[in-house]
Amino acid sequence: MLNFDPEKLKKDFPIFNQEINGRPLIYLDNGATTQKPNQVINEIRRYNETSHGNPHRGAHQLSIRATEEYDNAKEKVKSFINAKSIEEIIFTRNTTESLNLIAYSYGMEFIKENDEIVIAISEHHSNIIPWQKVAKDKNAILKYMYLDEEGRIPIDEIESKITSKTKLVSIAHMSNVLGTIHPIREIIERAHELGAVVVVDGAQSTPHIKVDVQDLNADFYVFSGHKMLAPMGIGVLYGKKELLENMPPFLTGGDMIEYVYEQDATFAPLPFKFEAGTQNVEGAIGLGAAIDYLQSVGLNEIEKYEKFLVEYALNKILDIPYVNIQGPKDLSMRGGIISFTIDDVHPHDISTILDSYGVAVRAGHHCAQPLMRYLELPATARASFYLYNTKEDIDQFIEGIKNVRKWLGYGS
Amino acid sequence: MLNFDPEKLKKDFPIFNQEINGRPLIYLDNGATTQKPNQVINEIRRYNETSHGNPHRGAHQLSIRATEEYDNAKEKVKSFINAKSIEEIIFTRNTTESLNLIAYSYGMEFIKENDEIVIAISEHHSNIIPWQKVAKDKNAILKYMYLDEEGRIPIDEIESKITSKTKLVSIAHMSNVLGTIHPIREIIERAHELGAVVVVDGAQSTPHIKVDVQDLNADFYVFSGHKMLAPMGIGVLYGKKELLENMPPFLTGGDMIEYVYEQDATFAPLPFKFEAGTQNVEGAIGLGAAIDYLQSVGLNEIEKYEKFLVEYALNKILDIPYVNIQGPKDLSMRGGIISFTIDDVHPHDISTILDSYGVAVRAGHHCAQPLMRYLELPATARASFYLYNTKEDIDQFIEGIKNVRKWLGYGS
Amino acid sequence: MDLNSIYTQLIMEHNKSGHNKRALCNPDVCERGHNPSCGDDITLELKLNGNIIEDASFEGVGCAISQASTSMMIDLIKGKTVDEALEMVEKFLGMIKKEITDEKELEKLGDSIVLQNISNMPARVKCAVLSWHTLKEAVS
Amino acid sequence: MDLNSIYTQLIMEHNKSGHNKRALCNPDVCERGHNPSCGDDITLELKLNGNIIEDASFEGVGCAISQASTSMMIDLIKGKTVDEALEMVEKFLGMIKKEITDEKELEKLGDSIVLQNISNMPARVKCAVLSWHTLKEAVS
Ligand SMILES: Cc1ncc(COP(=O)(O)O)c(C=O)c1O
Ligand SMILES: Cc1ncc(COP(=O)(O)O)c(C=O)c1O
């Protein structure tokens, strides 16, 4: 059984003290961004009211406190994903910037003509376009792994695409459209055997399942704070120390240097080499507080609970004949994301109509146009869950779904 | 006379409700980062508690509110610096990222072999290293304008360095070490006559003096929120529309695209083209609130008041024989920054000792090592003022300065 | 926001009927309009006789709002001169922006007057105006 | 934080006296140590006789803490063997990290025991340990 009470936990989140269109807010857009508990909101306030300074730059109290709190947040991230040391943890703005950093720094330095970069057709645009740029600039080749009818990457697809020509594989741990949890262990093993490095886009996984970067043996692992109860404007790049050490800096400027001469500069050791300019200290502290919160509930509990919610929702949805579901049927291969369509109704209308029932879901291409084209869908609606969602949320969601077609003049 | 009461205004800033080492906090490190008024802290909380969603991505209420608030913040920035339209306002992480964006996108695209880039010897590292990288990658030449003994750029230095070979000039509006307000009008005119574009680093100016980008005719203008009462993790890049339109994207990924195909992508119109991934909405909203606050006081009033503080402080400091001041003597050429040294005392000891008096100043190279080398100083101490500082703060600061040498065993 | 004021009988009918959703043979004007962010993608086709829009149709995918708005626009402009059609576009955009509120004026917009309140749903405004912008592109 | 516990008489004297701040003629070992972030920059010179540190000195710039710490270290290691000196370094670093607190043990550190409380000033720890790290680099 669960060790937490979702109803009680929901009370930590002030956003739910309001009605949307006269109904209680049912927030099912957690794949896009998540809400913040008081514990995070209050930490940011506390920092701003008592300890704000520019870290690493001063010998006065506030600067010292800001430095300690920033470093402390980094320690929390390190433990959270089980990195070896804080030298392997770089704070960025978001997943997108983390991926761009790898592409600009690692990609532009180590990918050469005719080398192959392998990604999946289901990647988020942030894990596609940076590689298109590297491929174009370096005359390298960008290859796609395609999915089976349940949205999984077949083993033979992995084996035929990742070859001795492959220099880099970049893959989402969990698809933000299909909810598929990709076989990244197998992908990493295969890639390492053939000498390629693997970037894991953990934007959707880190908030929802226990991630251990050493156990996975990922070379790079990236995620965003705002999808895991933390503020916007803070993201993480994990990279193995040997790799980060050999990479050139990406953004340059204050704080990432050792000595600066008129025509040349030498750079600070890790992790500072990759953190140019004044960092988002309050974002980092908020992320630290979010990690504390998630760990107090327990990532394994969260994962278990979300599986329960998905199962509960899927069972109800599968009873509705005109609703179509994307992604794996096998619950062990998916996370708390359900992409769906309704016959004769465009997903944007679904989203607008559900909104009038207080239910927030997303509609569109979910920043995954190549996947949409591959699925031959112009768009889908997507419900994505988190620890504060309840069975009643799902009931309300299903209730809303059942009304959608009526609004558009189709007998239910 | 002043239209605001600094004592009263200080009460808006909760950070001052505390003692540091048993003394009231005197915060004179505003050049590094500034404190936040309740008006900003409360806005961030309000957003998090009522309106947080991922903007530009959803048709549900929270996403719509987040979009409106984000766009509204951008409108405020636009008016604040008098840009022509919000298409010219890009939100970034900080000044450093804004400068890197220009260097990577404009610089790497339009600077060619043997072209010249001109900066001043007093630039912040963030306005040096990105240009070193462009110069190296493109075989272009990075040239420095040097300063006179009062820290000003002489006209003949401008004329001899900015020539028909110059393609780009990048210059701080106000030096973060010397407080010098550089003659950017003259620099921009000269550069434009010769066909070069001008980047203005407004990190130190925007918070303290009224900036009108159209009046200045700057091509690019950049600054950071955290130095103007706003949160960390939000910065601004202003660029003229014609220039931004012709520049390739820098960071790529979600939200900055139009269509994404497997091997290619087309990009969204301005300003979205340069805003990849989930943006820092709460940072933008905090910046909007900070702008409201600054405008309610009035930038001209702030500038006038800071001049008063600097004059008051300089008069007292110049009476102390063993304190040496950097930068212009002429008050009309400087902002609220005083860099100083004390005979026989290293600046780090100054900072530590002043801290024990509750006075926060910075010591070090202030991310301007080439300037320090040019001035033949290993470091300086720096006091930098803002609207919440008072005459009494300065008195306390001077009191502290007078005690520094005693602690190191020199008769005062 | 009142769903009834958006998903009206008229919108439903235009969305479902598809009486303007077909290909024209040899159109004189063919213009694609799209909202990349939501995936609405229509192609507008016009047959001109001198200055008169003799026939019009559209093809493509999109939500009920964009499909109905397009269909209603086509009903409105058929048989009109290009200049009259452009005037309609301005009137429609003016209505959406709440710049034109005079009932008499708006009546000239026919069925599409039902989209008057779409600005209460900012995320859907783009859907409503897509075809009108496309028409403007097509003939000006 | 109590300034008195940092800026002690001893620190002041070592900082001012400069009795170890000079150049050695033909040193056997010469090692530069620096803290880029605060600008402390010292060069440590040693004269060895077999395994014995016969003479030692330093040059360079830095704050009172780094200058005094360097000077105190030099007083301590002169005449010692390299191994004894390295042992001192470990003891000193252990003291700074608060891992070694036993008074008897710490007494062996001579004057530099006054830096015991520098960890109350985290921004200055780097200044205190600079020369000790430099010595370690130089001889190991
Ligand atoms: C003149 C100047 N330029 C650039 C910067 C860099 O700003 P940030 O650290 O916010 O990127 C600063 C402040 O540190 C500055 O004073
Ligand atoms: C799988 C995946 N990758 C990358 C991203 C981009 O994250 P962000 O917008 O925070 O940079 C997202 C979320 O939008 C995502 O779901």
Side-chain angles (χ1 to χ4, degrees):
Chain A
M1 265 316 303
L2 275 185
N3 74 349
F4 69 96
D5 175 357
E7 277 297 348
K8 226 178 104 194
L9 190 144
K10 201 171 197 166
K11 298 211 166 66
D12 288 336
F13 294 77
I15 196 101
F16 297 113
N17 299 335
Q18 67 181 320
E19 300 202 324
I20 296 282
N21 297 319
R23 312 244 190 169
L25 165 63
I26 313 265
Y27 187 74
L28 303 180
D29 195 15
N30 295 291
T33 196
T34 56
Q35 301 300 335
K36 297 179 195 71
N38 285 319
Q39 288 83 339
V40 168
I41 295 173
N42 291 337
E43 260 300 275
I44 300 170
R45 173 179 276 256
R46 181 199 56 72
Y47 169 76
N48 280 327
E49 293 188 346
T50 66
S51 306
H52 171 59
N54 201 321
H56 304 299
R57 290 199 185 175
H60 61 74
Q61 281 303 308
L62 291 178
S63 176
I64 293 167
R65 282 187 213 161
T67 306
E68 279 172 0
E69 297 207 17
Y70 183 77
D71 292 350
N72 186 28
K74 200 166 267 193
E75 278 291 344
K76 287 183 189 176
V77 173
K78 186 211 98 177
S79 311
F80 187 60
I81 60 169
N82 193 31
K84 271 202 196 114
S85 86
I86 62 162
E87 294 171 286
E88 301 184 319
I89 306 292
I90 318 289
F91 280 134
T92 62
R93 184 156 35 147
N94 50 26
T95 303
T96 302
E97 193 181 74
S98 298
L99 290 166
N100 275 271
L101 191 164
I102 305 170
Y104 271 101
S105 171
Y106 188 90
M108 293 297 186
E109 184 82 8
F110 297 110
I111 305 282
K112 309 282 179 207
E113 192 167 345
N114 295 325
D115 283 352
E116 295 185 358
I117 300 168
V118 176
I119 66 179
I121 192 69
S122 48
E123 295 311 314
H124 188 281
H125 294 159
S126 296
N127 198 21
I128 298 178
I129 316 178
W131 306 118
Q132 289 181 346
K133 189 172 160 65
V134 173
K136 251 169 241 165
D137 277 31
K138 296 291 162 183
N139 283 314
I141 295 147
L142 179 60
K143 281 202 167 166
Y144 285 82
M145 297 186 282
Y146 298 97
L147 309 180
D148 67 17
E149 53 304 317
E150 288 199 30
R152 298 166 305 192
I153 307 177
I155 290 293
D156 57 350
E157 189 65 11
I158 295 172
E159 288 178 353
S160 71
K161 294 293 163 62
I162 303 177
T163 69
S164 59
K165 291 189 171 167
T166 310
K167 286 286 139 38
L168 185 143
V169 180
S170 194
I171 176 93
H173 197 160
M174 187 192 300
S175 157
N176 65 313
V177 182
L178 305 167
T180 318
I181 298 176
H182 289 307
I184 59 165
R185 258 174 221 286
E186 287 76 1
I187 290 171
I188 289 171
E189 263 174 37
R190 168 95 185 156
H192 284 175
E193 268 165 30
L194 294 160
V197 300
V198 180
V199 180
V200 182
D201 173 355
Q204 295 296 338
S205 49
T206 319
H208 302 280
I209 62 180
K210 180 90 201 90
V211 167
D212 181 329
V213 291
Q214 290 190 65
D215 180 48
L216 291 171
N217 203 9
D219 298 302
F220 298 99
Y221 202 97
V222 299
F223 55 97
S224 295
H226 71 94
K227 293 185 201 281
M228 50 186 284
L229 312 184
M232 302 173 110
I234 188 84
V236 173
L237 161 64
Y238 158 82
K240 282 185 185 161
K241 192 174 162 190
E242 319 79 271
L243 292 169
L244 292 175
E245 268 177 344
N246 289 318
M247 285 158 59
F250 170 45
L251 300 177
T252 58
D255 291 347
M256 50 73 73
I257 54 91
E258 195 180 51
Y259 291 107
V260 180
Y261 305 94
E262 290 190 22
Q263 301 296 333
D264 264 300
T266 58
F267 302 112
L270 292 173
F272 309 108
K273 179 169 98 176
F274 290 107
E275 295 183 350
T278 304
Q279 298 301 300
N280 186 353
V281 179
E282 57 212 78
I285 288 167
L287 178 57
I291 287 175
D292 287 344
Y293 189 90
L294 290 171
Q295 286 183 325
S296 76
V297 178
L299 266 289
N300 290 332
E301 288 297 310
I302 293 170
E303 185 182 352
K304 210 162 71 184
Y305 179 56
E306 288 180 16
K307 279 217 193 305
F308 160 75
L309 289 177
V310 174
E311 188 169 9
Y312 183 76
L314 280 181
N315 281 339
K316 301 217 164 197
I317 292 174
L318 294 172
D319 278 350
I320 315 176
Y322 49 78
V323 180
N324 318 296
I325 299 292
Q326 301 297 322
K329 302 267 176 320
D330 178 351
L331 280 182
S332 77
M333 300 194 73
R334 64 145 75 225
I337 289 174
I338 300 178
S339 267
F340 63 99
T341 53
I342 294 182
D343 290 347
D344 310 316
V345 184
H346 191 278
H348 277 106
D349 295 310
I350 301 177
S351 175
T352 297
I353 294 167
L354 286 181
D355 187 47
S356 76
Y357 288 84
V359 178
V361 302
R362 254 188 91 191
H365 53 63
H366 312 292
C367 300
Q369 289 181 6
L371 175 64
M372 291 294 151
R373 222 170 277 119
Y374 180 74
L375 298 173
E376 295 178 1
L377 289 170
T380 70
R382 180 187 76 181
S384 48
F385 310 128
Y386 212 7
L387 69 177
Y388 39 63
N389 291 125
T390 60
K391 249 174 76 179
E392 290 68 39
D393 288 0
I394 311 272
D395 292 339
Q396 186 67 29
F397 164 56
I398 300 289
E399 190 56 31
I401 285 188
K402 288 187 175 154
N403 279 293
V404 166
R405 279 172 54 91
K406 278 195 216 124
W407 281 104
L408 289 168
Y410 302 98
S412 76
Chain B
M1 266 315 301
L2 277 183
N3 75 349
F4 69 97
D5 175 357
E7 277 297 346
K8 225 178 106 196
L9 190 144
K10 200 169 197 167
K11 297 212 166 65
D12 289 335
F13 294 77
I15 196 103
F16 296 113
N17 298 335
Q18 67 180 318
E19 300 203 324
I20 296 283
N21 297 319
R23 312 243 190 170
L25 165 62
I26 313 262
Y27 187 75
L28 303 181
D29 195 14
N30 295 291
T33 196
T34 56
Q35 301 300 335
K36 296 178 196 72
N38 285 320
Q39 287 84 339
V40 169
I41 295 173
N42 291 338
E43 259 302 275
I44 301 170
R45 172 177 277 254
R46 181 200 55 73
Y47 169 77
N48 280 327
E49 294 188 346
T50 65
S51 306
H52 172 59
N54 201 321
H56 304 297
R57 291 199 185 177
H60 60 75
Q61 280 302 309
L62 292 178
S63 176
I64 292 167
R65 283 188 214 161
T67 307
E68 279 172 0
E69 298 207 18
Y70 183 76
D71 292 350
N72 185 29
K74 201 166 266 193
E75 279 291 345
K76 286 183 189 175
V77 172
K78 187 211 98 176
S79 310
F80 187 60
I81 61 168
N82 193 32
K84 271 203 196 112
S85 85
I86 62 163
E87 294 171 286
E88 302 184 317
I89 306 292
I90 318 289
F91 280 134
T92 63
R93 183 156 35 146
N94 50 27
T95 302
T96 302
E97 194 181 75
S98 297
L99 290 166
N100 275 270
L101 191 164
I102 305 170
Y104 271 100
S105 171
Y106 187 90
M108 294 296 186
E109 184 83 7
F110 296 110
I111 305 282
K112 310 282 179 206
E113 192 166 343
N114 294 326
D115 283 352
E116 296 185 357
I117 300 168
V118 177
I119 66 178
I121 191 70
S122 48
E123 295 311 313
H124 188 281
H125 294 158
S126 296
N127 198 20
I128 297 177
I129 316 178
W131 306 118
Q132 289 181 346
K133 188 172 161 65
V134 173
K136 252 171 239 165
D137 277 32
K138 296 292 161 182
N139 283 314
I141 296 148
L142 179 59
K143 282 202 167 166
Y144 285 82
M145 296 185 281
Y146 298 97
L147 308 181
D148 67 17
E149 53 304 318
E150 286 199 32
R152 299 167 303 192
I153 306 177
I155 291 292
D156 58 349
E157 190 65 12
I158 296 173
E159 289 179 352
S160 71
K161 294 294 163 61
I162 304 177
T163 69
S164 59
K165 291 190 172 169
T166 310
K167 286 285 139 39
L168 185 143
V169 180
S170 194
I171 176 94
H173 198 159
M174 188 192 299
S175 157
N176 65 314
V177 182
L178 305 168
T180 318
I181 297 175
H182 290 307
I184 61 166
R185 258 173 221 287
E186 287 76 2
I187 291 172
I188 289 171
E189 261 174 40
R190 167 96 187 157
H192 285 176
E193 266 166 32
L194 294 159
V197 301
V198 180
V199 180
V200 182
D201 172 354
Q204 295 296 338
S205 48
T206 320
H208 302 281
I209 62 181
K210 180 90 201 88
V211 168
D212 181 328
V213 290
Q214 289 190 65
D215 181 49
L216 291 171
N217 204 8
D219 298 301
F220 298 101
Y221 202 97
V222 299
F223 54 98
S224 294
H226 71 92
K227 293 185 200 282
M228 49 186 284
L229 311 183
M232 301 173 110
I234 188 83
V236 173
L237 161 64
Y238 158 83
K240 281 185 186 161
K241 192 174 162 192
E242 318 81 90
L243 292 169
L244 293 175
E245 268 177 344
N246 289 318
M247 285 157 59
F250 170 47
L251 300 176
T252 58
D255 292 346
M256 52 71 74
I257 54 91
E258 194 181 51
Y259 290 107
V260 180
Y261 305 94
E262 289 191 22
Q263 300 297 334
D264 265 301
T266 57
F267 302 111
L270 291 174
F272 309 108
K273 179 169 98 176
F274 290 107
E275 294 184 351
T278 303
Q279 298 301 299
N280 185 353
V281 179
E282 58 213 77
I285 288 167
L287 178 56
I291 287 175
D292 287 344
Y293 189 90
L294 290 172
Q295 285 183 325
S296 77
V297 179
L299 266 288
N300 290 333
E301 288 296 309
I302 293 170
E303 186 183 351
K304 209 162 71 183
Y305 179 56
E306 289 180 15
K307 278 216 195 304
F308 159 76
L309 289 177
V310 174
E311 187 169 9
Y312 183 76
L314 280 180
N315 280 338
K316 301 216 164 200
I317 292 174
L318 293 172
D319 278 350
I320 315 175
Y322 49 77
V323 180
N324 319 296
I325 299 292
Q326 300 296 323
K329 303 267 176 319
D330 178 352
L331 281 181
S332 76
M333 299 194 73
R334 64 144 73 225
I337 289 174
I338 300 178
S339 267
F340 63 99
T341 53
I342 294 182
D343 290 346
D344 308 316
V345 183
H346 191 278
H348 277 104
D349 296 310
I350 301 177
S351 176
T352 298
I353 294 167
L354 287 181
D355 187 46
S356 76
Y357 288 84
V359 179
V361 302
R362 254 189 93 193
H365 53 62
H366 313 291
C367 300
Q369 289 181 6
L371 175 64
M372 290 294 152
R373 222 170 276 119
Y374 181 73
L375 297 174
E376 295 179 359
L377 290 171
T380 70
R382 181 187 75 181
S384 48
F385 310 128
Y386 213 5
L387 69 176
Y388 39 62
N389 291 125
T390 60
K391 249 174 78 180
E392 290 68 38
D393 289 0
I394 311 272
D395 292 338
Q396 188 66 29
F397 164 57
I398 299 289
E399 191 56 32
I401 284 188
K402 288 187 175 155
N403 278 291
V404 165
R405 280 171 55 90
K406 279 196 214 122
W407 282 103
L408 289 167
Y410 302 98
S412 75
Chain C
M1 182 210 50
D2 178 11
L3 222 48
N4 279 308
S5 74
I6 303 296
Y7 293 102
T8 59
Q9 199 65 28
L10 265 171
I11 298 276
M12 260 160 40
E13 277 163 18
H14 274 280
N15 177 45
K16 280 163 68 181
S17 86
H19 67 282
N20 290 320
K21 196 168 181 176
R22 60 199 161 88
L24 288 191
C25 285
N26 304 319
D28 298 300
V29 179
C30 178
E31 182 83 26
R32 183 173 165 213
H34 49 116
N35 285 328
S37 63
C38 54
D40 291 339
D41 192 335
I42 59 158
T43 301
L44 190 66
E45 299 184 336
L46 305 178
K47 232 182 155 66
L48 300 179
N49 183 348
N51 207 22
I52 309 257
I53 299 171
E54 224 174 46
D55 201 1
S57 74
F58 79 106
E59 296 180 281
V61 295
C63 62
I65 309 288
S66 73
Q67 298 275 306
S69 181
T70 308
S71 174
M72 295 189 289
M73 179 188 81
I74 288 174
D75 280 356
L76 194 67
I77 60 168
K78 262 198 278 192
K80 299 275 190 330
T81 67
V82 166
D83 287 345
E84 285 167 339
L86 282 173
E87 216 177 282
M88 296 290 181
V89 171
E90 292 314 319
K91 218 183 280 299
F92 181 83
L93 297 177
M95 173 183 81
I96 299 291
K97 290 189 212 140
K98 303 255 185 228
E99 288 166 5
I100 304 179
T101 48
D102 182 67
E103 288 292 321
K104 275 254 136 46
E105 277 297 293
L106 296 182
E107 256 168 34
K108 297 177 194 157
L109 287 172
D111 287 357
S112 46
I113 199 171
V114 300
L115 288 163
Q116 194 169 6
N117 291 318
I118 196 75
S119 59
N120 298 336
M121 278 188 188
R124 308 305 299 280
V125 168
K126 276 185 305 195
C127 313
V129 298
L130 174 63
S131 55
W132 303 78
H133 280 299
T134 309
L135 175 61
K136 202 168 156 183
E137 282 291 308
V139 297
S140 44
Chain D
M1 181 211 51
D2 179 10
L3 222 48
N4 278 308
S5 73
I6 303 297
Y7 292 102
T8 59
Q9 199 65 29
L10 265 171
I11 297 275
M12 259 160 42
E13 277 164 18
H14 273 281
N15 177 45
K16 281 164 67 182
S17 87
H19 67 282
N20 290 320
K21 196 166 179 176
R22 64 201 159 87
L24 289 191
C25 284
N26 304 318
D28 297 300
V29 180
C30 178
E31 182 83 27
R32 182 172 166 215
H34 50 114
N35 286 328
S37 63
C38 54
D40 291 338
D41 191 337
I42 59 158
T43 301
L44 190 65
E45 300 185 335
L46 306 178
K47 236 188 152 60
L48 300 180
N49 183 349
N51 207 20
I52 308 255
I53 299 171
E54 225 175 44
D55 200 1
S57 75
F58 79 106
E59 296 178 281
V61 294
C63 62
I65 308 288
S66 73
Q67 298 275 306
S69 181
T70 309
S71 173
M72 295 189 287
M73 180 188 80
I74 287 174
D75 279 356
L76 194 67
I77 61 167
K78 262 197 280 191
K80 301 274 189 331
T81 66
V82 166
D83 286 346
E84 284 167 340
L86 282 173
E87 217 177 281
M88 296 290 181
V89 171
E90 292 315 319
K91 218 183 279 300
F92 181 82
L93 296 177
M95 173 183 81
I96 299 292
K97 289 188 212 138
K98 303 255 184 227
E99 287 166 6
I100 305 178
T101 49
D102 182 67
E103 287 292 320
K104 274 256 136 46
E105 276 298 293
L106 295 182
E107 257 169 33
K108 296 178 194 154
L109 287 172
D111 287 356
S112 48
I113 199 171
V114 300
L115 287 163
Q116 194 168 6
N117 291 318
I118 196 75
S119 60
N120 298 336
M121 277 186 190
R124 309 304 301 279
V125 168
K126 276 186 306 196
C127 313
V129 300
L130 174 62
S131 55
W132 303 77
H133 280 299
T134 308
L135 175 61
K136 203 168 156 182
E137 282 291 308
V139 297
S140 46

